[in-house]
Amino acid sequence: MGKKVLFVASECTPFVKTGGLADVIGSLPQALQQTENIDVSVMLPLYQEIWDNWQNQLTKINSLPLNVGWRKHDATIYHTTHQGIPFYFIKNDYYFSRHGVYGYEDDGERYLFFCQAVMEALKVIDFEADILHAHDWQAGLAIAFANITPPTKQLKTVFTIHNIKYQGILLKDAYADLFNISDEHIGGLEWDGLLNCMKSGIFHADKITTVSPTYAEEITFPFYGEGLDSIIRERKNDVIGILNGIDLNDYNPNTDPHLNTKYSYSRIKKKENKEILQKKLGLKVDPEIPMYVMITRLVEQKGLHLVQAILDEFLNENVQFVLLGTGDYEFENFFYHAEKRNKEKLVSYLGFDEALARQIYASGDFFVMPSLFEPCGLSQLIALQYKTVPIVRETGGLKDTVTPFNEYSLEGNGFSFKNYNAHELLEQLKYSLSIYQNEEKWQALLKNVNKSYYSWDDSAHAYADLYHELHQA
Ligand code: ADP
């Protein structure tokens, strides 16, 4: 019989998405089920947005009373099946009936509650997990609780770090009291005198994975470890890097319902998408002008300080630049004003828009992703799938998936630079332009791009091996 794995996470396509985590939780279970015969269920908080869009398809299973200090909170469990995968949702209006997903002052408390509710839910759902696989800090305490007070049987646990920067930090004394965490267990949950959800997952998990081999190495160093590098080094023998994949059926320019002109390899058809987008965004309509695009959360991680430093200079070239992003005020403000200065060439679309994102992936010639750090990065993989050439900094998963084009050997599927330095980015932007203008070299590069596929196949296999190993231990 196949093993049963319960995924616990804070976002998942198609229900709710703020970034790459949602893509992973929305596609890895299918890959595990289809290629590895592993039975996966997924547990998520029931945010207002999910309730608004999916309530007709949800079945109520049970309502469980939880004590949070002197308050009583119900965790109501709902269920649905989507594309063959069972989903369980934890509903609590006080914590989750809010606009959006993150960014509330009590986020730590919200996910602490979620993790406690997961433990209770495990006792009543019709899915007897062998392995609990929790993702990122929001689910880190589920690993700790499963270890400290096993809900049914002792579960094997896997904790995946998608981004070690976000750790979920709470005041220790207040929350230990509120959620009944006894003194003897606090050591495994605390870091620097605070309750740290990321550290709790790392400390308690049987195995720890992160989303690329290079990032697994990087986080053992202080620069990338965000203060947790010493505990990663302590657990190094149990940490492995497994590269994320993407769902090649979903991200397929030949079937994508958001595109007016579908294509596989045809540059002519890809250029039709560019023309449509140019028209839609008010740019000069000319399919020959090279288009550079970014689709990103607007946060420091994504290398935006580098873009800030050189964008105006780069826009002196005969290029167009399209940004789709939302996030920190500093960067939204920068792109808003940069567009005003460069109306002919730059469009800054400040928002989150799945359909527009797909149209931009399809229209761009180059995808710019100069990250300060990048655990894996899915955007460059999606870009490759839409035959858009990535320009990246050599860090984390970007280093593992993009090989710099060598104009002499004609190898490589993108452009990259090593140091976090704006002029190295500018140099690569200008270099990419010179390759675009050299038909022979450009075609050689596109040939390599056309052969770059990052499906889940290999990585699903690596996760399956890990589950087998744990199960037999
Ligand atoms: P991260 O998870 O750090 O945000 P990834 O590259 O792993 O970065 O994944 C980002 C995902 O979110 C991709 O699917 C990307 O297309 C999508 N995305 C990011 N910003 C936006 C936006 N403003 N609108 C639509 N999709 C976006």
Side-chain angles (χ1 to χ4, degrees), residues 17-21 23 163 251 295-297 301-302 324-326 351-354 357 361 369 374 377-380 382:
K17 168 170 171 175
T18 73
L21 174 64
D23 287 305
N163 194 335
Y251 290 113
I295 298 166
T296 185
R297 290 185 293 122
Q301 173 194 340
K302 300 298 178 179
L324 168 62
T326 175
F352 193 96
D353 188 326
E354 184 70 33
Y361 280 118
M369 199 167 173
E374 197 57 73
L378 297 181
S379 303
Q380 83 280 15
I382 301 169

PDB file of all heavy atoms in Angstrom, residues 17-21 23 163 251 295-297 301-302 324-326 351-354 357 361 369 374 377-380 382, ligand 1:
ATOM      1  N   LYS A  17      -3.071  32.275  -3.301  1.00  0.00           N
ATOM      2  CA  LYS A  17      -1.657  32.364  -3.702  1.00  0.00           C
ATOM      3  C   LYS A  17      -1.088  33.752  -3.447  1.00  0.00           C
ATOM      4  O   LYS A  17      -1.694  34.751  -3.796  1.00  0.00           O
ATOM      5  CB  LYS A  17      -1.532  32.034  -5.192  1.00  0.00           C
ATOM      6  CG  LYS A  17      -0.171  32.352  -5.810  1.00  0.00           C
ATOM      7  CD  LYS A  17      -0.029  31.783  -7.210  1.00  0.00           C
ATOM      8  CE  LYS A  17       1.222  32.291  -7.894  1.00  0.00           C
ATOM      9  NZ  LYS A  17       1.475  31.679  -9.196  1.00  0.00           N
ATOM     10  N   THR A  18       0.110  33.778  -2.799  1.00  0.00           N
ATOM     11  CA  THR A  18       0.859  35.044  -2.777  1.00  0.00           C
ATOM     12  C   THR A  18       2.215  34.873  -3.443  1.00  0.00           C
ATOM     13  O   THR A  18       2.869  35.849  -3.772  1.00  0.00           O
ATOM     14  CB  THR A  18       1.102  35.584  -1.342  1.00  0.00           C
ATOM     15  OG1 THR A  18       2.097  34.771  -0.705  1.00  0.00           O
ATOM     16  CG2 THR A  18      -0.148  35.610  -0.503  1.00  0.00           C
ATOM     17  N   GLY A  19       2.664  33.632  -3.631  1.00  0.00           N
ATOM     18  CA  GLY A  19       3.978  33.427  -4.242  1.00  0.00           C
ATOM     19  C   GLY A  19       4.197  31.966  -4.604  1.00  0.00           C
ATOM     20  O   GLY A  19       3.242  31.183  -4.709  1.00  0.00           O
ATOM     21  N   GLY A  20       5.473  31.612  -4.771  1.00  0.00           N
ATOM     22  CA  GLY A  20       5.837  30.286  -5.283  1.00  0.00           C
ATOM     23  C   GLY A  20       5.408  29.121  -4.398  1.00  0.00           C
ATOM     24  O   GLY A  20       5.158  28.020  -4.893  1.00  0.00           O
ATOM     25  N   LEU A  21       5.308  29.359  -3.070  1.00  0.00           N
ATOM     26  CA  LEU A  21       4.876  28.290  -2.166  1.00  0.00           C
ATOM     27  C   LEU A  21       3.540  27.705  -2.635  1.00  0.00           C
ATOM     28  O   LEU A  21       3.340  26.487  -2.649  1.00  0.00           O
ATOM     29  CB  LEU A  21       4.754  28.830  -0.736  1.00  0.00           C
ATOM     30  CG  LEU A  21       4.177  27.887   0.310  1.00  0.00           C
ATOM     31  CD1 LEU A  21       5.070  26.669   0.526  1.00  0.00           C
ATOM     32  CD2 LEU A  21       3.984  28.617   1.652  1.00  0.00           C
ATOM     33  N   ASP A  23       2.317  27.578  -5.652  1.00  0.00           N
ATOM     34  CA  ASP A  23       2.508  26.741  -6.838  1.00  0.00           C
ATOM     35  C   ASP A  23       3.001  25.347  -6.444  1.00  0.00           C
ATOM     36  O   ASP A  23       2.563  24.339  -6.991  1.00  0.00           O
ATOM     37  CB  ASP A  23       3.551  27.375  -7.772  1.00  0.00           C
ATOM     38  CG  ASP A  23       3.028  28.603  -8.502  1.00  0.00           C
ATOM     39  OD1 ASP A  23       1.985  28.484  -9.161  1.00  0.00           O
ATOM     40  OD2 ASP A  23       3.660  29.668  -8.420  1.00  0.00           O
ATOM     41  N   ASN A 163      11.713  29.452   2.435  1.00  0.00           N
ATOM     42  CA  ASN A 163      12.420  30.721   2.558  1.00  0.00           C
ATOM     43  C   ASN A 163      12.735  30.942   4.035  1.00  0.00           C
ATOM     44  O   ASN A 163      11.834  31.165   4.841  1.00  0.00           O
ATOM     45  CB  ASN A 163      11.547  31.872   2.027  1.00  0.00           C
ATOM     46  CG  ASN A 163      12.350  33.139   1.824  1.00  0.00           C
ATOM     47  OD1 ASN A 163      13.384  33.330   2.465  1.00  0.00           O
ATOM     48  ND2 ASN A 163      11.885  33.989   0.938  1.00  0.00           N
ATOM     49  N   TYR A 251       1.513  25.500 -16.736  1.00  0.00           N
ATOM     50  CA  TYR A 251       2.319  26.553 -17.372  1.00  0.00           C
ATOM     51  C   TYR A 251       2.714  26.108 -18.767  1.00  0.00           C
ATOM     52  O   TYR A 251       3.851  25.712 -19.012  1.00  0.00           O
ATOM     53  CB  TYR A 251       3.544  26.878 -16.516  1.00  0.00           C
ATOM     54  CG  TYR A 251       3.189  27.591 -15.237  1.00  0.00           C
ATOM     55  CD1 TYR A 251       3.369  26.993 -13.993  1.00  0.00           C
ATOM     56  CD2 TYR A 251       2.659  28.880 -15.273  1.00  0.00           C
ATOM     57  CE1 TYR A 251       3.034  27.655 -12.821  1.00  0.00           C
ATOM     58  CE2 TYR A 251       2.309  29.540 -14.106  1.00  0.00           C
ATOM     59  CZ  TYR A 251       2.501  28.929 -12.893  1.00  0.00           C
ATOM     60  OH  TYR A 251       2.160  29.585 -11.732  1.00  0.00           O
ATOM     61  N   ILE A 295       8.182  39.857 -13.005  1.00  0.00           N
ATOM     62  CA  ILE A 295       6.925  39.566 -12.299  1.00  0.00           C
ATOM     63  C   ILE A 295       7.356  39.123 -10.918  1.00  0.00           C
ATOM     64  O   ILE A 295       8.021  38.090 -10.777  1.00  0.00           O
ATOM     65  CB  ILE A 295       6.148  38.437 -13.006  1.00  0.00           C
ATOM     66  CG1 ILE A 295       5.781  38.861 -14.418  1.00  0.00           C
ATOM     67  CG2 ILE A 295       4.901  38.043 -12.201  1.00  0.00           C
ATOM     68  CD1 ILE A 295       5.326  37.728 -15.305  1.00  0.00           C
ATOM     69  N   THR A 296       7.034  39.922  -9.925  1.00  0.00           N
ATOM     70  CA  THR A 296       7.690  39.636  -8.645  1.00  0.00           C
ATOM     71  C   THR A 296       6.995  40.275  -7.451  1.00  0.00           C
ATOM     72  O   THR A 296       6.281  41.270  -7.592  1.00  0.00           O
ATOM     73  CB  THR A 296       9.141  40.164  -8.701  1.00  0.00           C
ATOM     74  OG1 THR A 296       9.824  39.798  -7.519  1.00  0.00           O
ATOM     75  CG2 THR A 296       9.212  41.679  -8.870  1.00  0.00           C
ATOM     76  N   ARG A 297       7.222  39.681  -6.288  1.00  0.00           N
ATOM     77  CA  ARG A 297       6.917  40.392  -5.055  1.00  0.00           C
ATOM     78  C   ARG A 297       7.922  41.530  -4.972  1.00  0.00           C
ATOM     79  O   ARG A 297       9.112  41.340  -5.281  1.00  0.00           O
ATOM     80  CB  ARG A 297       7.112  39.468  -3.845  1.00  0.00           C
ATOM     81  CG  ARG A 297       6.080  38.372  -3.747  1.00  0.00           C
ATOM     82  CD  ARG A 297       6.257  37.565  -2.463  1.00  0.00           C
ATOM     83  NE  ARG A 297       7.482  36.791  -2.447  1.00  0.00           N
ATOM     84  CZ  ARG A 297       8.430  36.888  -1.539  1.00  0.00           C
ATOM     85  NH1 ARG A 297       8.301  37.734  -0.534  1.00  0.00           N
ATOM     86  NH2 ARG A 297       9.527  36.153  -1.585  1.00  0.00           N
ATOM     87  N   GLN A 301      14.581  41.026  -1.306  1.00  0.00           N
ATOM     88  CA  GLN A 301      15.093  39.731  -1.782  1.00  0.00           C
ATOM     89  C   GLN A 301      15.228  39.664  -3.299  1.00  0.00           C
ATOM     90  O   GLN A 301      16.109  38.995  -3.838  1.00  0.00           O
ATOM     91  CB  GLN A 301      14.139  38.618  -1.298  1.00  0.00           C
ATOM     92  CG  GLN A 301      14.479  37.254  -1.867  1.00  0.00           C
ATOM     93  CD  GLN A 301      13.376  36.237  -1.670  1.00  0.00           C
ATOM     94  OE1 GLN A 301      12.503  36.403  -0.816  1.00  0.00           O
ATOM     95  NE2 GLN A 301      13.416  35.158  -2.444  1.00  0.00           N
ATOM     96  N   LYS A 302      14.330  40.324  -4.003  1.00  0.00           N
ATOM     97  CA  LYS A 302      14.250  40.135  -5.458  1.00  0.00           C
ATOM     98  C   LYS A 302      15.245  41.005  -6.233  1.00  0.00           C
ATOM     99  O   LYS A 302      15.158  41.130  -7.450  1.00  0.00           O
ATOM    100  CB  LYS A 302      12.821  40.384  -5.929  1.00  0.00           C
ATOM    101  CG  LYS A 302      11.805  39.434  -5.279  1.00  0.00           C
ATOM    102  CD  LYS A 302      12.081  37.981  -5.633  1.00  0.00           C
ATOM    103  CE  LYS A 302      11.102  37.019  -4.953  1.00  0.00           C
ATOM    104  NZ  LYS A 302      11.341  35.617  -5.315  1.00  0.00           N
ATOM    105  N   LEU A 324       5.400  43.734 -13.337  1.00  0.00           N
ATOM    106  CA  LEU A 324       4.161  43.420 -12.622  1.00  0.00           C
ATOM    107  C   LEU A 324       4.567  43.030 -11.210  1.00  0.00           C
ATOM    108  O   LEU A 324       5.325  42.062 -11.029  1.00  0.00           O
ATOM    109  CB  LEU A 324       3.429  42.250 -13.299  1.00  0.00           C
ATOM    110  CG  LEU A 324       2.263  41.631 -12.509  1.00  0.00           C
ATOM    111  CD1 LEU A 324       1.154  42.638 -12.252  1.00  0.00           C
ATOM    112  CD2 LEU A 324       1.705  40.407 -13.242  1.00  0.00           C
ATOM    113  N   GLY A 325       4.120  43.789 -10.222  1.00  0.00           N
ATOM    114  CA  GLY A 325       4.540  43.440  -8.873  1.00  0.00           C
ATOM    115  C   GLY A 325       3.762  44.196  -7.827  1.00  0.00           C
ATOM    116  O   GLY A 325       3.121  45.211  -8.099  1.00  0.00           O
ATOM    117  N   THR A 326       3.849  43.673  -6.620  1.00  0.00           N
ATOM    118  CA  THR A 326       3.223  44.333  -5.490  1.00  0.00           C
ATOM    119  C   THR A 326       4.062  44.030  -4.259  1.00  0.00           C
ATOM    120  O   THR A 326       4.733  43.005  -4.202  1.00  0.00           O
ATOM    121  CB  THR A 326       1.761  43.858  -5.324  1.00  0.00           C
ATOM    122  OG1 THR A 326       1.237  44.444  -4.156  1.00  0.00           O
ATOM    123  CG2 THR A 326       1.639  42.358  -5.208  1.00  0.00           C
ATOM    124  N   GLY A 351       0.291  45.468  -8.781  1.00  0.00           N
ATOM    125  CA  GLY A 351      -0.838  44.656  -8.334  1.00  0.00           C
ATOM    126  C   GLY A 351      -0.494  43.192  -8.493  1.00  0.00           C
ATOM    127  O   GLY A 351       0.623  42.838  -8.909  1.00  0.00           O
ATOM    128  N   PHE A 352      -1.439  42.342  -8.126  1.00  0.00           N
ATOM    129  CA  PHE A 352      -1.258  40.891  -8.296  1.00  0.00           C
ATOM    130  C   PHE A 352      -2.308  40.421  -9.283  1.00  0.00           C
ATOM    131  O   PHE A 352      -3.505  40.587  -9.056  1.00  0.00           O
ATOM    132  CB  PHE A 352      -1.415  40.170  -6.950  1.00  0.00           C
ATOM    133  CG  PHE A 352      -0.947  38.743  -6.996  1.00  0.00           C
ATOM    134  CD1 PHE A 352       0.333  38.407  -6.580  1.00  0.00           C
ATOM    135  CD2 PHE A 352      -1.779  37.736  -7.485  1.00  0.00           C
ATOM    136  CE1 PHE A 352       0.784  37.099  -6.635  1.00  0.00           C
ATOM    137  CE2 PHE A 352      -1.332  36.420  -7.550  1.00  0.00           C
ATOM    138  CZ  PHE A 352      -0.051  36.098  -7.116  1.00  0.00           C
ATOM    139  N   ASP A 353      -1.890  39.875 -10.428  1.00  0.00           N
ATOM    140  CA  ASP A 353      -2.842  39.540 -11.479  1.00  0.00           C
ATOM    141  C   ASP A 353      -2.342  38.323 -12.250  1.00  0.00           C
ATOM    142  O   ASP A 353      -1.398  38.412 -13.040  1.00  0.00           O
ATOM    143  CB  ASP A 353      -2.973  40.757 -12.408  1.00  0.00           C
ATOM    144  CG  ASP A 353      -4.087  40.589 -13.434  1.00  0.00           C
ATOM    145  OD1 ASP A 353      -4.321  39.448 -13.885  1.00  0.00           O
ATOM    146  OD2 ASP A 353      -4.713  41.609 -13.774  1.00  0.00           O
ATOM    147  N   GLU A 354      -2.977  37.190 -11.989  1.00  0.00           N
ATOM    148  CA  GLU A 354      -2.521  35.918 -12.567  1.00  0.00           C
ATOM    149  C   GLU A 354      -2.603  35.936 -14.099  1.00  0.00           C
ATOM    150  O   GLU A 354      -1.667  35.518 -14.786  1.00  0.00           O
ATOM    151  CB  GLU A 354      -3.377  34.775 -11.993  1.00  0.00           C
ATOM    152  CG  GLU A 354      -2.980  33.376 -12.425  1.00  0.00           C
ATOM    153  CD  GLU A 354      -1.653  32.889 -11.834  1.00  0.00           C
ATOM    154  OE1 GLU A 354      -1.321  33.266 -10.698  1.00  0.00           O
ATOM    155  OE2 GLU A 354      -0.947  32.147 -12.538  1.00  0.00           O
ATOM    156  N   ALA A 357      -0.004  38.164 -15.555  1.00  0.00           N
ATOM    157  CA  ALA A 357       1.320  37.537 -15.380  1.00  0.00           C
ATOM    158  C   ALA A 357       1.599  36.583 -16.539  1.00  0.00           C
ATOM    159  O   ALA A 357       2.661  36.620 -17.157  1.00  0.00           O
ATOM    160  CB  ALA A 357       1.380  36.798 -14.044  1.00  0.00           C
ATOM    161  N   TYR A 361       4.630  36.785 -19.207  1.00  0.00           N
ATOM    162  CA  TYR A 361       5.591  35.692 -19.455  1.00  0.00           C
ATOM    163  C   TYR A 361       5.639  35.376 -20.958  1.00  0.00           C
ATOM    164  O   TYR A 361       6.687  35.109 -21.524  1.00  0.00           O
ATOM    165  CB  TYR A 361       5.183  34.407 -18.713  1.00  0.00           C
ATOM    166  CG  TYR A 361       5.532  34.368 -17.235  1.00  0.00           C
ATOM    167  CD1 TYR A 361       4.539  34.259 -16.256  1.00  0.00           C
ATOM    168  CD2 TYR A 361       6.860  34.393 -16.813  1.00  0.00           C
ATOM    169  CE1 TYR A 361       4.857  34.199 -14.903  1.00  0.00           C
ATOM    170  CE2 TYR A 361       7.188  34.331 -15.459  1.00  0.00           C
ATOM    171  CZ  TYR A 361       6.182  34.235 -14.510  1.00  0.00           C
ATOM    172  OH  TYR A 361       6.498  34.172 -13.174  1.00  0.00           O
ATOM    173  N   MET A 369      15.625  38.725 -13.118  1.00  0.00           N
ATOM    174  CA  MET A 369      15.459  38.202 -11.760  1.00  0.00           C
ATOM    175  C   MET A 369      16.809  38.241 -11.024  1.00  0.00           C
ATOM    176  O   MET A 369      17.438  37.207 -10.804  1.00  0.00           O
ATOM    177  CB  MET A 369      14.920  36.766 -11.858  1.00  0.00           C
ATOM    178  CG  MET A 369      14.270  36.245 -10.612  1.00  0.00           C
ATOM    179  SD  MET A 369      13.358  34.737 -10.984  1.00  0.00           S
ATOM    180  CE  MET A 369      12.892  34.225  -9.337  1.00  0.00           C
ATOM    181  N   GLU A 374      17.722  33.525  -3.443  1.00  0.00           N
ATOM    182  CA  GLU A 374      16.558  32.904  -4.085  1.00  0.00           C
ATOM    183  C   GLU A 374      16.553  31.410  -3.756  1.00  0.00           C
ATOM    184  O   GLU A 374      17.275  30.628  -4.361  1.00  0.00           O
ATOM    185  CB  GLU A 374      16.618  33.107  -5.605  1.00  0.00           C
ATOM    186  CG  GLU A 374      15.314  32.871  -6.314  1.00  0.00           C
ATOM    187  CD  GLU A 374      14.180  33.742  -5.786  1.00  0.00           C
ATOM    188  OE1 GLU A 374      14.160  34.961  -6.053  1.00  0.00           O
ATOM    189  OE2 GLU A 374      13.321  33.183  -5.072  1.00  0.00           O
ATOM    190  N   GLY A 377      13.057  29.727  -6.633  1.00  0.00           N
ATOM    191  CA  GLY A 377      12.585  30.585  -7.715  1.00  0.00           C
ATOM    192  C   GLY A 377      11.812  29.737  -8.701  1.00  0.00           C
ATOM    193  O   GLY A 377      12.320  28.750  -9.242  1.00  0.00           O
ATOM    194  N   LEU A 378      10.553  30.101  -8.881  1.00  0.00           N
ATOM    195  CA  LEU A 378       9.752  29.410  -9.908  1.00  0.00           C
ATOM    196  C   LEU A 378       9.614  30.297 -11.133  1.00  0.00           C
ATOM    197  O   LEU A 378       9.454  29.799 -12.244  1.00  0.00           O
ATOM    198  CB  LEU A 378       8.353  29.097  -9.361  1.00  0.00           C
ATOM    199  CG  LEU A 378       8.304  28.157  -8.171  1.00  0.00           C
ATOM    200  CD1 LEU A 378       6.867  27.920  -7.752  1.00  0.00           C
ATOM    201  CD2 LEU A 378       8.979  26.834  -8.495  1.00  0.00           C
ATOM    202  N   SER A 379       9.716  31.601 -10.931  1.00  0.00           N
ATOM    203  CA  SER A 379       9.444  32.517 -12.042  1.00  0.00           C
ATOM    204  C   SER A 379      10.393  32.274 -13.213  1.00  0.00           C
ATOM    205  O   SER A 379       9.976  32.327 -14.369  1.00  0.00           O
ATOM    206  CB  SER A 379       9.580  33.955 -11.562  1.00  0.00           C
ATOM    207  OG  SER A 379       8.713  34.161 -10.482  1.00  0.00           O
ATOM    208  N   GLN A 380      11.668  31.996 -12.911  1.00  0.00           N
ATOM    209  CA  GLN A 380      12.599  31.757 -14.023  1.00  0.00           C
ATOM    210  C   GLN A 380      12.246  30.446 -14.742  1.00  0.00           C
ATOM    211  O   GLN A 380      12.470  30.317 -15.953  1.00  0.00           O
ATOM    212  CB  GLN A 380      14.056  31.768 -13.535  1.00  0.00           C
ATOM    213  CG  GLN A 380      14.597  30.487 -12.932  1.00  0.00           C
ATOM    214  CD  GLN A 380      14.167  30.288 -11.476  1.00  0.00           C
ATOM    215  OE1 GLN A 380      13.255  30.945 -10.981  1.00  0.00           O
ATOM    216  NE2 GLN A 380      14.814  29.366 -10.790  1.00  0.00           N
ATOM    217  N   ILE A 382       9.122  29.259 -15.026  1.00  0.00           N
ATOM    218  CA  ILE A 382       7.928  29.572 -15.818  1.00  0.00           C
ATOM    219  C   ILE A 382       8.366  30.345 -17.063  1.00  0.00           C
ATOM    220  O   ILE A 382       7.914  30.060 -18.183  1.00  0.00           O
ATOM    221  CB  ILE A 382       6.916  30.398 -14.990  1.00  0.00           C
ATOM    222  CG1 ILE A 382       6.495  29.631 -13.729  1.00  0.00           C
ATOM    223  CG2 ILE A 382       5.690  30.756 -15.832  1.00  0.00           C
ATOM    224  CD1 ILE A 382       5.713  30.458 -12.713  1.00  0.00           C
TER     225      ILE A 382
HETATM  226  P1  ADP B   1       8.459  33.838  -4.387  1.00  0.00           P
HETATM  227  O1  ADP B   1       7.784  32.587  -3.959  1.00  0.00           O
HETATM  228  O2  ADP B   1       9.670  34.197  -3.581  1.00  0.00           O
HETATM  229  O3  ADP B   1       7.533  35.004  -4.500  1.00  0.00           O
HETATM  230  P2  ADP B   1       8.863  32.454  -6.932  1.00  0.00           P
HETATM  231  O4  ADP B   1       9.618  32.846  -8.152  1.00  0.00           O
HETATM  232  O5  ADP B   1       9.209  31.139  -6.324  1.00  0.00           O
HETATM  233  O6  ADP B   1       9.032  33.638  -5.879  1.00  0.00           O
HETATM  234  O7  ADP B   1       7.292  32.398  -7.257  1.00  0.00           O
HETATM  235  C1  ADP B   1       6.565  33.545  -7.547  1.00  0.00           C
HETATM  236  C2  ADP B   1       5.218  33.117  -8.102  1.00  0.00           C
HETATM  237  O8  ADP B   1       4.280  34.174  -7.898  1.00  0.00           O
HETATM  238  C3  ADP B   1       5.259  32.894  -9.605  1.00  0.00           C
HETATM  239  O9  ADP B   1       4.222  31.976  -9.944  1.00  0.00           O
HETATM  240  C4  ADP B   1       4.957  34.290 -10.142  1.00  0.00           C
HETATM  241  O10 ADP B   1       4.476  34.265 -11.456  1.00  0.00           O
HETATM  242  C5  ADP B   1       3.890  34.732  -9.159  1.00  0.00           C
HETATM  243  N1  ADP B   1       3.799  36.183  -8.982  1.00  0.00           N
HETATM  244  C6  ADP B   1       4.642  37.008  -8.303  1.00  0.00           C
HETATM  245  N2  ADP B   1       4.200  38.277  -8.315  1.00  0.00           N
HETATM  246  C7  ADP B   1       3.041  38.272  -9.015  1.00  0.00           C
HETATM  247  C8  ADP B   1       2.088  39.295  -9.368  1.00  0.00           C
HETATM  248  N3  ADP B   1       2.255  40.565  -9.001  1.00  0.00           N
HETATM  249  N4  ADP B   1       1.003  38.918 -10.095  1.00  0.00           N
HETATM  250  C9  ADP B   1       0.835  37.628 -10.473  1.00  0.00           C
HETATM  251  N5  ADP B   1       1.690  36.620 -10.163  1.00  0.00           N
HETATM  252  C10 ADP B   1       2.779  36.936  -9.440  1.00  0.00           C
END
